[in-house]
Amino acid sequence: STLREQVAGLSAEREGAVTRLGLLDADAERAGAARETMLHELELLREQVVALEGSLASARVRVSASDAQVEEARKARESTADESHQREADERVAQSEDREATSAGEYGRRRLAEIDAELGMLQQTFAQNPATDEEQQDVLTRYEAEPAEVLDELPRLREELVRLQANVNLNAEADRDELTERERFLREQMDDLHRARETLLATIAEIETSCQVQFNETFDAVKAKFTEVFAQLFPGGQAEMWQTNPENLSETGIEISVQPPGKKMTNLAALSGGERAMTASALIFALIAVKPSPFYLLDEVDAALDDANVERLSNKISEVSSTAQMLIVTHNKKTMELAQRMYGVTMQEPGVSSIISAALDGHAPAEQSEAIREPAAV
């Protein structure tokens, strides 16, 4: 009889140990799931950073294209300006030659007309009254200083005048106005391209600054809250969280080291299951504090905790439940004491499951609006 009692006691202890082992395994799985969830959120943040960097790369490509257009417009403007200057120089040379030829031709025509008029008058005078020797000598004396090449040069000067008139570009002024208008248009295009380039560069700088500032602000806020919450859940303990590569947001990671009371600073892998669960809970409550939500679901977060840690976790849950609705899946009696309403699944008949609920605050089941922000246990 004594041996049977001992065997029964040992069997009961064995079953209890197996049950606790199963709970610890479940707790480890849940802590791992919570860690995977946090890692997934971090991965989403990294993807957002990568998407923003893609936008930056696209903006840089547009800036490069704008720079190429600006360079082409500058070359076209320089070519047009050179052509305009050359045309203006040719026009000035042609105008100068035209003025010289016109002046020389005008002088020759005037002089020829004077000589022809005077000769005609002399012929008429000499025909009626033959000139005396003194009059003839006077005429010879007056034209003695006149070059003999004047009459010979007149045909050549007339031909040169015609040639100059044929080579003069009568549309030079219109061409110059057209080139001036073209230069003005290209200058406006260049100014527009410069403004577009400056706008793109400013947009790139704004995106980079906004991304950096937003991420750093969120991380700093979560880091500060994580340290504060960890000290509440582990009185006398410390926690640190940092970025592995803060200068490069697309490749940075996040590391966590904690120091429970009476232990040295260590990473998560060296902690026990309960310590990891409490650390994960501290990070969750830090995220809740930074970016609150109206509804939260906690699944077996207290499975691996002892009564003291469950008490501290319950205080934190009560604090959060004052501003949000909490739904907690648990088997812990202390955690169940927080709930104003409890839900459970029972099997009164084999193979038939039914859901039952119980209001623990004295309200009728229909009065759910008064308890909407209170924790509920399942």
Side-chain angles (χ1 to χ4, degrees):
S1 175
T2 301
L3 290 175
R4 282 194 297 271
E5 289 178 358
Q6 291 178 354
V7 169
L10 292 174
S11 298
E13 291 179 1
R14 180 179 176 276
E15 291 177 358
V18 170
T19 301
R20 288 193 298 273
L21 181 59
L23 291 176
L24 290 175
D25 292 338
D27 175 62
E29 292 179 358
R30 285 189 293 273
R35 180 177 180 274
E36 292 296 330
T37 301
M38 288 184 289
L39 292 176
H40 178 66
E41 293 178 355
L42 293 176
E43 185 64 26
L44 291 178
L45 289 175
R46 292 191 184 97
E47 291 177 357
Q48 292 177 0
V49 171
V50 171
L52 290 175
E53 288 185 347
S55 300
L56 292 178
S58 177
R60 290 192 178 96
V61 171
R62 293 196 297 272
V63 169
S64 299
S66 299
D67 290 339
Q69 294 178 358
V70 169
E71 184 64 21
E72 292 178 359
R74 185 186 63 79
K75 292 180 180 179
R77 182 178 66 84
E78 291 178 354
S79 176
T80 303
D82 294 340
E83 185 178 355
S84 176
H85 294 159
Q86 184 63 36
R87 288 181 177 271
E88 290 178 355
D90 295 341
E91 181 183 6
R92 287 193 296 269
V93 172
Q95 290 177 351
S96 177
E97 294 178 351
D98 180 51
R99 286 192 297 270
E100 293 177 358
T102 302
S103 177
E106 185 63 26
Y107 173 76
R109 286 193 296 272
R110 186 172 62 252
R111 186 58 181 162
L112 179 60
E114 292 176 356
I115 295 174
D116 288 339
E118 189 170 357
L119 288 175
M121 183 186 64
L122 291 174
Q123 288 177 355
Q124 293 177 1
T125 303
F126 291 161
Q128 297 175 1
N129 299 311
T132 61
D133 294 337
E134 293 180 359
E135 291 174 343
Q136 293 179 5
Q137 188 63 36
D138 180 60
V139 172
L140 292 175
T141 302
R142 279 188 293 153
Y143 288 98
E144 183 177 5
E146 197 69 35
E149 294 82 6
V150 173
L151 296 178
D152 298 334
E153 288 291 326
L154 285 177
R156 185 185 64 80
L157 293 174
R158 290 192 182 97
E159 292 177 359
E160 186 174 356
L161 179 60
V162 173
R163 179 177 61 80
L164 291 175
Q165 290 176 348
N167 291 333
V168 172
N169 184 9
L170 301 179
N171 296 324
E173 186 175 358
D175 293 341
R176 183 188 61 186
D177 295 339
E178 181 180 355
L179 291 174
T180 302
E181 180 66 21
R182 176 65 175 171
E183 181 184 6
R184 184 190 63 78
F185 173 76
L186 291 176
R187 191 179 299 277
E188 291 178 355
Q189 294 294 315
M190 286 187 64
D191 293 339
D192 292 340
L193 290 175
H194 281 300
R195 286 192 294 269
R197 180 177 182 272
E198 294 298 329
T199 301
L200 289 174
L201 292 176
T203 302
I204 291 173
E206 182 179 356
I207 291 175
E208 290 178 345
T209 303
S210 175
C211 177
Q212 183 79 32
V213 170
Q214 183 177 1
F215 184 84
N216 288 338
E217 288 179 353
T218 303
F219 179 79
D220 292 340
V222 172
K223 176 181 177 181
K225 283 295 180 181
F226 174 67
T227 303
E228 177 182 347
V229 175
F230 186 86
Q232 295 174 358
L233 297 180
F234 284 95
Q238 296 180 355
E240 294 181 359
M241 184 169 62
W242 68 93
Q243 301 180 48
T244 58
N245 188 5
E247 301 300 329
N248 191 347
L249 293 182
S250 63
E251 298 180 2
T252 186
I254 295 178
E255 293 290 341
I256 295 177
S257 291
V258 298
Q259 184 180 6
K263 294 185 179 181
K264 64 180 180 179
M265 185 71 69
T266 183
N267 55 22
L268 294 179
L271 299 176
S272 64
E275 290 171 340
R276 286 199 298 269
M278 288 291 281
T279 302
S281 300
L283 181 57
I284 291 173
F285 285 117
L287 294 172
I288 291 174
V290 173
K291 191 173 182 180
S293 175
F295 180 84
Y296 300 102
L297 172 62
L298 302 180
D299 185 9
E300 295 286 355
V301 296
D302 55 355
L305 304 180
D306 56 16
D307 292 342
N309 287 329
V310 170
E311 184 70 24
R312 287 193 289 268
L313 181 63
S314 299
N315 293 334
K316 196 63 183 177
I317 292 175
S318 299
E319 178 184 340
V320 175
S321 65
S322 63
T323 57
Q325 184 177 3
M326 304 288 292
L327 181 62
I328 306 173
V329 179
T330 182
H331 292 86
N332 192 286
K333 295 180 180 180
K334 285 186 172 294
T335 306
M336 293 181 187
E337 293 176 358
L338 298 174
Q340 288 190 350
R341 184 172 299 277
M342 185 178 297
Y343 300 89
V345 179
T346 184
M347 187 180 295
Q348 296 178 354
E349 299 179 8
V352 179
S353 299
S354 60
I355 299 176
I356 60 174
S357 65
L360 304 182
D361 56 354
H363 294 288
E367 298 178 356
Q368 297 182 4
S369 60
E370 297 183 2
I372 191 171
R373 295 188 181 276
E374 298 298 332
V378 178

